[in-house]
Amino acid sequence: MSNIPSKLRFALSHEWARLERDGTVTVGISKYAHDLLGDIVAIELPIVGKVYDAGDQAAVVESIKTASDIHCPISGAIAAINAELANNPAELNGLPYEQWLFKVYPDDVVEMSLLLSADDYARVVVGE
């Protein structure tokens, strides 16, 4: 699992989060989640400005196998959505760490420390 970017933090529900210089948190899905889902065919993104608590369902990703809820890994308001990805969801296939779903204005950036490090997440997904 060494292909997990070390600068990302992870929720147990398989979303990644990255704190940006502007204070927002960028959110996407892990490669592990993508591999479980298979080819992505549709994405429903949250509404900009809507406020979520950590763990709330914020988006839906549909694949040829199933639909899966995407949770907001930290509390806050949606700052932006990746509209390009919503219009062309196949762009997520094969590039889960390069494509983001939405950005959040965090209520408390300290919540990032509650998420798993890349090493801890790797241990979770390989069952160590």
Side-chain angles (χ1 to χ4, degrees):
M1 283 284 158
S2 62
N3 59 345
I4 298 175
S6 63
K7 293 183 180 182
L8 301 179
R9 304 292 291 186
F10 293 84
L12 286 174
S13 51
H14 307 293
E15 294 84 13
W16 59 259
R18 180 180 63 227
L19 182 62
E20 305 294 348
R21 288 183 179 183
D22 66 1
T24 62
V25 174
T26 301
V27 178
I29 64 169
S30 71
K31 182 175 183 328
Y32 178 81
H34 179 270
D35 290 348
L36 289 175
L37 288 167
D39 287 338
I40 306 299
V41 296
I43 299 173
E44 293 178 32
L45 294 172
I47 297 169
V48 173
K50 186 165 180 171
V51 177
Y52 293 94
D53 288 329
D56 285 353
Q57 185 262 330
V60 177
V61 174
E62 295 179 38
S63 72
I64 58 174
K65 294 180 185 179
T66 189
S68 182
D69 292 340
I70 305 300
H71 301 92
C72 197
I74 63 165
S75 301
I78 301 300
I81 60 169
N82 188 342
E84 281 186 35
L85 194 58
N87 293 328
N88 190 6
E91 291 292 317
L92 186 57
N93 296 323
L95 302 169
Y97 296 124
E98 295 175 28
Q99 293 290 344
W100 57 279
L101 300 175
F102 56 89
K103 295 184 181 200
V104 178
Y105 293 118
D107 287 345
D108 187 351
V109 76
V110 172
E111 285 186 5
M112 289 290 289
S113 67
L114 302 175
L115 299 173
L116 299 170
S117 69
D119 288 341
D120 290 340
Y121 181 71
R123 283 190 280 281
V124 166
V125 297
V126 298
E128 291 182 2

